[in-house]
């Protein structure tokens, strides 16, 4: 069974400086990253998060918001439930570059607001800026009840790894990736009690920022009754969707606006439309192989050719028949 390394327990405390608990530098998140988050590009050699920086533990909202916004590399451990305020805003809270945000145990939770990874929206910026947010790992957290997105990735953010989390009950997207973001992996997460799950590319008119970018790997995720957008893709190529378990969804993957999706080794059970290229806007492209469909109403739509993910990184998929066993056993929080 292919797994990520076990979550380590917090290391002994070396020093206490005010409210900041400092422990040895190695990040506690599993590594190394795989999929597109592992690719050496844009001046970043893979995704390492807060490695090389201090490790701190957040038990209050004030601590958490302080830590994730600091400019230096940092591993931020979350203990218990952190309630993110909404105030008079949309409740989205910025995460600075070079961060690992990781829950301790199986009950670490962010509730009420969401995480924003990226600079403020600017339609006039059409190439990655020097200060684009980058190198972030989010792992082993339950994120729920946001008034907007649970996680939003935007404005050319790159090298982001979202791994082994539980997503539910957001008001909009669970994990939205848009506006030129690139080199992202979304892996081993459970999505449930949620409608619009994964948006990749926010608008049919955003080609200037998105064409040639939005390279994302989605693997070993459990789409557990999450209704739609699992993911819904515009422009991105390659988008690699492999070894995910789909259960009771209105649709799985939609490719539009000439996006290029490789759909591989997934298991679809009771999904109305497992894969679509005729959706809305211009047609997308999709290549499919070794997928299993059970009690689905439509076949997977295919069209054209797509740049192979192995052009960028090596991987070894499970067989689709293994997915209903492997994915529920390994996806979500407190799993190894």
């Amino acid at each position: 069974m292919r797994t990520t390394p076990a979550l380590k327990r917090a290391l002994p405390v070396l020093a206490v400086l005010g409210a900041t608990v400092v422990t040895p530098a190695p990040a506690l998140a599993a590594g190394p990253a795989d999929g597109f988050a592992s690719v050496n590009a844009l001046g970043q050699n893979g995704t390492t998060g807060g490695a090389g920086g201090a490790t701190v533990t957040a038990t209050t909202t004030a601590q958490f918001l302080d830590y994730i916004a600091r400019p230096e590399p940092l591993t931020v451990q979350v203990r218990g439930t952190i309630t993110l305020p909404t105030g008079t805003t949309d409740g989205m809270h910025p995460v600075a570059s070079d961060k690992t945000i990781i829950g301790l145990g199986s009950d670490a939770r962010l509730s009420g607001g969401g995480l924003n990874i990226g600079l403020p929206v600017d339609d006039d910026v059409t190439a990655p800026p020097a200060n684009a947010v980058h190198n972030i790992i989010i792992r082993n957290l339950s994120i729920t009840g946001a008034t907007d997105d649970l996680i939003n990735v935007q404005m050319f953010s790159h090298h982001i790894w979202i791994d082994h989390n539980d997503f539910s009950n957001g008001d909009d997207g669970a994990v939205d990736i848009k506006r030129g973001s690139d080199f992202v992996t979304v892996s081993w997460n459970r999505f449930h009690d949620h409608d619009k799950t994964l948006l990749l590319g926010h608008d049919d008119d955003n080609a200037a920022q998105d064409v040639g970018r939005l390279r994302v790997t989605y693997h070993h995720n459990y789409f557990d009754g999450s209704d739609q957008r699992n993911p819904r893709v515009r422009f991105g190529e390659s988008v690699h969707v492999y070894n995910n378990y789909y259960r009771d969804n209105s649709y799985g993957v939609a490719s539009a606006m000439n996006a290029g999706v490789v759909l591989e080794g997934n298991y679809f059970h009771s999904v109305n439309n497992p894969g679509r290229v005729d959706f809305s806007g211009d047609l997308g492209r999709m290549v499919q192989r070794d997928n299993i469909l059970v009690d689905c109403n439509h076949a997977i739509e295919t069209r054209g050719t797509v740049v192979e993910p192995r052009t960028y990184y090596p991987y070894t998929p499970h067989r689709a028949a293994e997915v209903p066993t492997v994915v529920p056993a390994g996806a979500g929080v407190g799993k190894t």
Side-chain angles (χ1 to χ4, degrees), residues 7-281:
L7 173 67
K8 300 177 183 177
R9 296 200 176 272
L11 296 173
V13 174
L14 295 185
V16 178
L17 303 174
T20 302
V21 179
V22 182
T23 56
L28 302 184
D34 58 10
F36 274 111
S38 70
V39 173
N40 184 357
L42 300 175
Q44 179 68 35
N45 187 9
T47 302
T48 56
T55 298
V56 297
T57 301
T59 60
T60 69
T61 300
Q63 288 175 338
F64 180 76
L65 294 180
D66 171 30
Y67 295 150
I68 67 172
R70 291 188 182 185
E72 70 269 20
L74 207 61
T75 293
V76 181
Q77 301 176 143
V78 176
R79 189 184 301 279
T81 297
I82 302 290
T83 300
L84 298 177
T86 57
T88 58
T89 71
D90 57 8
M92 301 300 294
H93 299 277
V95 181
S97 297
D98 303 313
K99 297 291 179 295
T100 295
I101 305 173
I102 184 168
L104 293 176
S106 59
D107 62 350
R109 178 180 297 262
L110 302 179
S111 179
L115 301 179
N116 190 68
I117 300 171
L119 299 171
V121 169
D122 186 342
D123 291 334
D124 294 330
V125 177
T126 57
N131 63 338
V133 177
H134 62 280
N135 193 30
I136 292 172
I137 298 170
I138 299 174
R139 190 169 194 266
N140 199 50
L141 286 168
S142 294
I143 308 179
T144 187
T147 53
D148 194 347
D149 298 330
L150 299 172
I151 296 178
N152 175 57
V153 183
Q154 68 179 21
M155 286 306 297
F156 303 94
S157 295
H158 61 93
H159 290 90
I160 313 297
W161 185 24
I162 299 169
D163 178 68
H164 274 98
N165 302 288
D166 185 287
F167 294 98
S168 65
N169 288 309
D171 193 57
D172 194 2
V175 179
D176 284 0
I177 302 168
K178 57 197 183 188
R179 295 184 179 274
S181 297
D182 215 354
F183 299 106
V184 180
T185 296
V186 179
S187 57
W188 293 101
N189 303 287
R190 179 179 174 230
F191 300 91
H192 62 99
D193 297 295
H194 194 89
D195 181 14
K196 300 173 182 177
T197 313
L198 304 171
L199 183 66
L200 181 57
H202 76 288
D203 189 270
D204 290 356
D205 296 325
N206 205 51
Q209 291 182 327
D210 290 343
V211 170
R213 302 182 179 94
L214 299 181
R215 285 166 283 202
V216 180
T217 305
Y218 300 95
H219 75 84
H220 292 91
N221 298 291
Y222 184 11
F223 297 106
D224 186 8
S226 57
D227 189 50
Q228 59 179 313
R229 299 184 180 179
N230 299 299
R232 190 249 201 268
V233 183
R234 297 176 174 95
F235 296 114
E237 185 180 12
S238 297
V239 178
H240 191 194
V241 182
Y242 80 93
N243 282 164
N244 300 285
Y245 182 35
Y246 293 83
R247 187 196 66 81
D248 195 20
N249 322 100
S250 64
Y251 75 84
V253 183
S255 176
M257 302 308 296
N258 201 39
V261 176
V262 173
L263 190 63
E264 174 179 19
N266 302 284
Y267 194 103
F268 297 89
H269 182 265
S270 187
V271 180
N272 185 39
N273 277 288
R276 303 185 66 181
V277 296
D278 186 358
F279 188 67
S280 69

Side-chain angles (χ1 to χ4, degrees), residues 291-310:
N291 298 286
I292 292 177
L293 280 60
V294 176
D295 293 334
C296 298
N297 293 328
H298 301 279
I300 295 170
E301 299 174 0
T302 60
R303 176 177 177 265
T305 61
V306 180
V307 175
E308 282 292 331
R310 284 193 176 88

